Amino acid sequence: MEHNLWYDEDTKVIHLQFTRDYLTTDVEDIRKNMKELVKDKPYRQMCIQISKTAKVENRETREKSNQLLKEFEISHVAFIGGSAANRMIAKVMLKTGAIKIQGDFFKTIEEGVNWLISKR
């Protein structure tokens, strides 16, 4: 998998860092890695770093990502960085209920992780 995915034992937060465009084919790789990563974890919160992502491939990618969040019962997502277009799409999906989780946008990872911890 080209993107970075890990669980921070100190903060109990799942991190996903995009290293390039986010493609539909990436969703299955993330799913495979998430299965072991979240096993027996007390919290299902994610910090998604989209600073280096130029774009999300298409609507199918967004829909499959939403299904992935539901599948692993992710409760909160802190989005870090990202282009104005990607932030706008994510905000619309959060506001309309297309993504059924709580999420917000932050400039730094520290701000995002602190917000996630405050939601426990």
Side-chain angles (χ1 to χ4, degrees), residues 1-115:
M1 182 171 85
E2 291 184 48
H3 303 296
N4 300 315
L5 179 68
W6 71 96
Y7 185 82
D8 185 322
E9 292 290 344
D10 293 332
T11 61
K12 312 251 184 290
V13 170
I14 302 160
H15 289 264
L16 175 59
Q17 179 184 39
F18 293 119
T19 58
R20 57 164 172 71
D21 288 353
Y22 182 48
L23 310 175
T24 304
T25 55
D26 294 328
V27 178
E28 190 55 37
D29 287 339
I30 292 169
R31 175 179 280 109
K32 288 175 187 173
N33 287 294
M34 285 279 287
K35 283 183 182 180
E36 281 301 312
L37 197 64
V38 301
K39 195 175 193 176
D40 301 322
K41 300 299 189 237
Y43 301 105
R44 300 287 177 98
Q45 298 173 312
M46 284 188 82
C47 181
I48 300 178
Q49 300 169 44
I50 53 179
S51 303
K52 295 181 181 177
T53 304
K55 65 181 176 67
V56 174
E57 184 176 26
N58 55 34
R59 182 183 189 140
E60 180 184 6
T61 307
R62 291 189 297 273
E63 290 172 355
K64 286 186 175 198
S65 297
N66 189 19
Q67 292 169 359
L68 184 77
L69 294 173
K70 288 180 193 176
E71 178 182 338
F72 291 104
E73 300 175 343
I74 303 300
S75 61
H76 300 86
V77 176
F79 296 98
I80 312 300
S83 69
N86 282 343
R87 286 193 311 271
M88 183 177 66
I89 289 168
K91 283 180 183 180
V92 168
M93 292 177 76
L94 288 166
K95 297 277 186 201
T96 62
I99 298 177
K100 305 233 184 287
I101 55 168
Q102 290 186 32
D104 211 341
F105 293 82
F106 303 91
K107 291 184 180 181
T108 68
I109 295 167
E110 183 179 4
E111 290 172 332
V113 168
N114 287 338
W115 177 80

